[in-house]
Amino acid sequence: LVADRLRAEIQQSKPFQSLEQEATLNLIRTASLMEQIGVAVLKPHGLSLSQYNVLRILRGAGEHGLKCSAVAERMITRDPDVTRLFDRLERERLITRQRSSDDRRVVNVKISDAGTRLLATLDEPMHAANRNAMNHMGREKMTQLIELLEGARGSAVLGFETAFEDA
């Protein structure tokens, strides 16, 4: 059965405690696999997924760049040490940082020409990896998957927030 696929993959003999647990574990397992695919594409270029994410955010921000805090807020996965990410990308000359003349506490970050060129070389391989992993579903099922994941994320955020209101 397709429903037992995850149990077989993780070699679990007992049934899951609930359908919600099985769905959550399927989501985590799938996300982990997708992460491994992304890591494999980026590894030859010396980038982590978080660094790649920062570069994409900055490319999208345009020539004015963003405040460091704004980049951190936009990241797909939260990274507790964004400063270290910026340090490495700056050492590799993929980004530039500059203190604001108005407020010295604010640091603006921009993608460099080298960072833009690197992303351009990665656009197609990353797109191909995503396409290869997902295109078996077809457009209708992918749209449905997106809607389901967005719904789950919204419920998870709401549940997370309300769980700590009573604490």
Side-chain angles (χ1 to χ4, degrees), residues 34-35 37-43 45 48-49 52-53 56 119 121-133:
M34 297 303 292
E35 183 175 339
I37 291 168
V39 166
V41 172
L42 297 174
K43 188 176 182 180
H45 302 276
S48 69
L49 282 169
Y52 175 72
N53 189 204
R56 284 183 44 88
L119 276 186
T121 66
L122 291 169
D123 284 340
E124 181 48 36
M126 287 300 278
H127 180 65
N130 292 333
R131 190 175 50 243
N132 290 338

Side-chain angles (χ1 to χ4, degrees), residues 11 13 50 117 144:
Q11 301 173 27
S13 57
S50 292
R117 285 191 303 274
Q144 184 179 18

Side-chain angles (χ1 to χ4, degrees), residues 47 55 89 92-96 111-121:
L47 282 182
L55 291 175
L89 291 169
E92 299 291 325
R93 295 181 168 23
L94 299 173
I95 66 166
T96 60
I111 191 168
S112 68
D113 289 342
T116 301
R117 285 191 303 274
L118 178 58
L119 276 186
T121 66

